């Protein structure tokens, strides 16, 4: 009886499958380490497996492999195809250098050649182990399991995509495991090794694996059940926002935005503390290239400027002409740059510092004596810029054709962008006549079209799927990256220059000292928003994300029409008697007996229907009353939209909001001031809307300045808060 291990064709198939399995190991290593000459490494693996298959003795195979390794080093590091005197001299010198480094334990002095040799030794050992498992143990399960884990870990925690690799590994692994099990079974049952018997068992195995693979590929697939585990692990590591963002759904600030999407776990690790008169958006940088999956920055563009302490900086946002304000930032995480509000004029620190600003990404990197420096505290002088509404209403669409050439990169869109994205942007802005109105229309679109802000159950686009298209037309659910990226892309489809901006929102108000508020900003406050260019005006901040209130300050310098009469309050209009109704009522009263007789007969005939109708109505009324906090906000929003914009209407809307918040469960303590209650509401929802509404209410009611309150302007903030109470 011949052992199946002696069958050359059977063993050749096994070694061929092993080669393909090793390729799946080598490929991600080559990709992630940016190592070249993949083909030469594969030749080494193939030659090693071939020698193992042919049972070449070690005293021959060993020197041959060593000779190949030496030739590889000569060819790659010197460019010589043969062992010339120059190549031999290079090998000798490099060997001496690495030997000296090893003897002195100076590991940093070892060369790339030494690391290459170590990598070849690793491949050599892997070939030997697999040869042992296949030829002697007839088992490959451990190697198969390690391969699956290896690719899965790389796919999750690195930029390497293992979507197709994992399919190849499963097919190769199942074939290997099945054939090796067949070999063990035949040996255990002393089955005579014959080609027809092997085919009888092997063909069904191959057919089943091929059929199951085809079904798996072509059947519809559900989305991921679990969110991306990287943010969850990161949130427990204490490094939620530090360093680079190397994964999807990264918590906090990170520099890699090439792949957006996915859910993330909140991280309240403090980043910095800001002492400022009122909350600000803290800008870090912007990016200009949309790739259908995320954002990148155009390389080798822009000018760099170096500023010192108290030097006037130019960020493209000129401070308002009013008195400048001061912000003090105390960093709790280490960043080699400064965060700055809009309208920044200068930075100041106790020690000498260089602030290097690049116009490409608008980021201020910090250096001291030529080395990167991570400031602990920085004082910023600024005043938020204000924009004339008159000038914004004069931003003609024709001016977009005469924009400066350097703004061209802010119109970039990938060729793969689905056409329906641009069609939607055109539909949204169809009735808008100016650049500003079109931009505001897209900004408002998300809050009025059923979109939902959420950080969980957010999908990652497939390989052939566009990030913005998926959000606009499929999920309509996401967080700031989804909203801001979508707005930038839609603006660019209308030829309006726009860029994607990253930083932090205002954070949580934790204390107030006189005119200064103290905000705690955490990784949870990492944020992205939009800057759009208005012809003749400049860059402006826009906030499309639902629930966030950052926006540019507008100077409402338009003249109002005093001849436009204010609508009378419907509730204050006198009721007019209708003579026809009075006559009908008198007629009904005079004919009372006949009416009562008819009613009694109707009730007698339909009493059970009436009883069950009343019971059902009572149950429905009870249910509606129980869940009134869910449907009442929609009713209130519709009601107040249909009313006028008088100060009295605003006061009633504000009091209705207080009742709704109390119904929602956020109760105002006895004796608590409206300002304190508003600060608590804002900290609960993470906004500044309640404080703005409260300030306007107190100015109207207690300050006697009702005419300064613009209800139409405040209504959006009021609606946002009302809608939040429906959750």
């Amino acid at each position: 009886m011949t052992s199946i291990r002696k069958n050359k064709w059977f063993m050749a198939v096994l070694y061929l499958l092993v080669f393909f399995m090793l390729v799946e190991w080598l490929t991600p290593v080559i990709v992630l380490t940016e190592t070249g000459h993949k083909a030469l490494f594969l030749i080494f693996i193939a030659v090693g497996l071939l020698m193992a298959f042919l049972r070449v003795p070690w005293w021959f195979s060993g020197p041959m492999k060593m000779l190949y390794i030496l030739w590889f080093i000569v060819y790659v590091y010197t460019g010589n195809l043969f062992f010339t005197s120059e190549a031999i001299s290079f090998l000798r010198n490099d060997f001496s250098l690495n030997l000296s480094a090893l003897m002195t334990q100076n590991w940093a002095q070892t060369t790339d050649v030494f690391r290459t040799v170590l990598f070849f030794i690793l491949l050599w050992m892997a070939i030997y182990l697999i040869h042992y498992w296949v030829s002697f143990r007839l088992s490959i399960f451990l190697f198969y399991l390690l391969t699956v884990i290896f690719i899965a870990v790389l796919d999750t925690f690195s930029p390497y995509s293992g979507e197709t690799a994992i399919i190849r590994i499963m097919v190769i692994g199942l074939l290997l495991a099945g054939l090796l099990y067949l070999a063990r079974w035949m040996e255990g049952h002393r089955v005579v090794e014959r080609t027809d018997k092997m085919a009888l068992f092997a063909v069904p195995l191959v057919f089943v694996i091929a059929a199951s693979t085809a079904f798996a590929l072509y059947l519809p697939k559900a989305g991921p059940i679990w969110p991306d585990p990287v943010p969850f692990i990161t949130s427990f590591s204490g490094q939620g926002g530090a360093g680079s963002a190397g994964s999807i759904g990264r918590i906090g600030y990170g520099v890699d935005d090439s792949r957006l999407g996915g859910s993330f776990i909140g991280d309240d690790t403090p980043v910095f503390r800001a002492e400022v008169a009122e909350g600000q958006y803290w800008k870090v940088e912007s990016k200009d290239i949309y790739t259908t999956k995320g954002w990148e920055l155009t390389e080798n563009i822009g000018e760099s400027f170096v500023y010192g302490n108290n030097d006037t900086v130019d960020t493209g946002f000129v401070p308002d002409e009013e008195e400048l304000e001061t912000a003090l930032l105390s960093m709790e995480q280490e960043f080699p740059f400064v965060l700055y509000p809009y309208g920044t004029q200068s930075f100041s620190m106790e020690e000498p510092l260089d602030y290097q600003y690049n116009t490409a990404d608008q980021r201020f990197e910090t250096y001291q004596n030529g080395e990167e420096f991570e400031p602990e505290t920085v004082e910023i002088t600024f005043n938020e810029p204000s924009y004339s509404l008159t000038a914004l209403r004069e931003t003609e669409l024709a001016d977009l054709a005469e924009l400066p050439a350097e703004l061209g990169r802010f119109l970039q869109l990938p060729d793969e962008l689905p056409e329906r994205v641009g069609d939607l942007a055109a539909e949204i802005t169809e009735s808008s006549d100016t650049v500003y109105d079109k931009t505001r229309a897209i900004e408002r679109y998300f809050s009025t079209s059923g979109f939902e802000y959420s950080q969980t159950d957010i999908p990652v686009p497939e390989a052939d799927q566009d990030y913005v298209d998926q959000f606009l037309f499929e999920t309509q659910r996401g967080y700031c990256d989804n909203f801001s990226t979508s707005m930038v892309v839609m603006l660019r489809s209308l030829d309006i220059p726009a860029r994607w901006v990253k930083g932090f929102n205002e954070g949580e108000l934790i204390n107030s000292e006189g005119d200064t508020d103290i905000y705690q900003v955490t990784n949870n406050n990492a944020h992205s928003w939009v800057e759009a260019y208005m012809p003749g005006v400049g860059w402006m901040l826009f906030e499309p994300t639902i629930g966030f209130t950052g926006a540019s300050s507008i100077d409402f310098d338009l003249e109002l029409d005093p001849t436009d009469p204010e609508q009378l309050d419907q509730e204050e209009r006198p009721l007019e008697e209708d003579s026809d109704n009075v006559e009908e009522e008198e007629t009904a009263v005079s004919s009372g007996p006949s009416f009562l007789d008819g009613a009694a007969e109707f009730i007698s005939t339909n009493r059970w229907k009436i009883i069950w109708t009343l019971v059902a109505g009572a149950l429905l009324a009870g249910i509606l009353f129980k869940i009134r906090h869910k449907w009442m906000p929609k009713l209130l929003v519709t009601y107040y939209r249909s009313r006028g914009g008088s100060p009295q209407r605003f006061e009633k809307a504000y009091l209705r909001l207080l009742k709704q918040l109390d119904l929602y469960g956020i109760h105002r303590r006895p004796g608590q001031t409206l300002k304190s209650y508003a600060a608590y509401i804002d900290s609960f929802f993470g906004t500044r809307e309640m404080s703005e509404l409260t300030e306007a209410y107190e100015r109207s009611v207690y300050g006697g300045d009702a005419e300064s309150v613009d209800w139409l302007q405040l209504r959006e903030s009021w609606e946002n808060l009302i809608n939040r109470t429906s959750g």
Side-chain angles (χ1 to χ4, degrees), residues 120-187:
F120 270 110
I121 293 174
L122 178 64
L123 291 177
W124 194 338
M125 294 174 59
I127 293 170
Y128 173 77
L129 286 174
I130 293 174
H131 163 66
Y132 172 77
W133 287 332
V134 170
S135 296
F136 298 95
R137 296 291 302 276
L138 293 178
S139 175
I140 201 69
F141 178 76
L142 179 60
F143 178 63
Y144 178 36
L145 178 63
L146 291 176
T147 304
V148 172
I149 294 174
F150 176 66
I151 298 300
V153 169
L154 289 183
D155 181 72
T156 303
F157 296 96
S158 78
Y160 178 75
S161 176
E163 293 179 357
T164 57
I166 201 69
I167 298 175
R168 294 192 298 268
I169 289 170
M170 294 301 294
V171 173
I172 296 169
L174 289 173
L175 283 173
L176 265 174
L179 292 175
L180 288 171
Y181 178 80
L182 172 62
R184 293 197 306 272
W185 182 86
M186 292 181 69
E187 287 192 351

Side-chain angles (χ1 to χ4, degrees), residues 322-519:
E322 298 180 2
E323 184 179 355
L324 293 174
E325 302 178 20
T326 299
L328 180 64
L329 268 60
S330 302
M331 304 302 299
E332 299 183 52
Q333 286 190 24
E334 297 178 345
F335 290 130
F337 52 78
V338 290
L339 302 97
Y340 60 100
Y342 284 89
T344 292
Q345 184 182 64
S346 64
F347 301 100
S348 178
M349 290 189 64
E350 295 182 358
E351 60 265 36
L353 206 64
D354 291 330
Y355 306 88
Q356 182 170 309
Y357 177 78
N358 190 288
T359 57
D361 59 2
Q362 295 90 48
R363 178 160 127 159
F364 283 95
E365 297 180 348
T366 48
Y367 294 88
Q368 191 174 65
N369 300 324
E371 300 289 335
E372 281 190 351
F373 183 79
E374 297 165 344
E376 296 182 359
T377 59
V378 59
E379 187 175 296
I380 306 172
T381 303
F382 76 101
N383 199 341
E384 184 180 355
S386 181
Y387 299 87
S388 165
L389 185 58
T390 301
L392 293 172
R393 290 289 169 83
E394 295 175 355
T395 50
E396 300 292 337
L397 299 176
D399 296 337
L400 293 175
E402 303 176 359
L403 293 174
E406 59 267 21
L407 295 180
R409 66 189 179 98
F410 300 112
L411 295 173
Q412 172 271 339
L413 288 174
D415 295 336
E416 303 85 354
L417 182 71
E419 185 178 349
R420 61 178 179 174
V421 174
D423 293 341
L424 176 62
E427 179 183 344
I428 295 170
T429 61
E430 184 178 7
S431 60
S432 302
D433 298 325
T434 66
V435 177
Y436 174 71
D437 288 340
K438 287 181 178 293
T439 306
R440 284 284 292 151
I442 291 180
E443 182 187 40
R444 290 192 297 264
Y445 170 73
F446 300 100
S447 61
T448 59
S449 304
F451 285 80
E452 178 184 357
Y453 180 89
S454 178
Q455 299 173 354
T456 59
D457 297 330
I458 309 303
V460 178
E462 301 292 339
D464 59 345
Q465 199 170 28
D466 182 87
Y467 177 71
V468 169
D469 184 81
Q470 180 194 55
F471 174 65
L472 291 177
F473 298 100
E474 296 183 17
T475 63
Q476 294 191 328
R477 174 187 177 95
Y479 41 89
C480 57
D481 291 346
N482 299 92
F483 290 94
S484 57
T485 299
S486 298
M487 180 174 177
V488 171
V489 170
M490 285 199 288
L491 287 176
R492 291 183 177 186
S493 72
L494 300 172
D495 294 327
I496 300 175
R499 60 195 179 200
W500 188 68
V501 186
K502 294 171 53 184
F504 292 85
N505 60 39
E506 54 265 66
E508 179 184 357
L509 178 65
I510 59 174
N511 196 9
S512 295
E513 299 176 357
D515 295 333
T516 301
D517 292 336
I518 301 177
Y519 292 86

Side-chain angles (χ1 to χ4, degrees), residues 588-610:
V589 171
S590 63
S591 58
S594 60
F595 173 77
L596 292 176
D597 292 341
E601 183 180 356
F602 176 82
I603 293 173
S604 176
T605 306
N606 301 281
R607 62 181 182 275
W608 286 111
K609 293 181 180 179
I610 294 174

Side-chain angles (χ1 to χ4, degrees), residues 297-309:
L297 181 67
T298 304
E299 296 182 355
N300 302 320
I301 61 168
E303 298 181 80
S304 292
F305 300 92
V306 178
Y307 301 99
N309 283 327

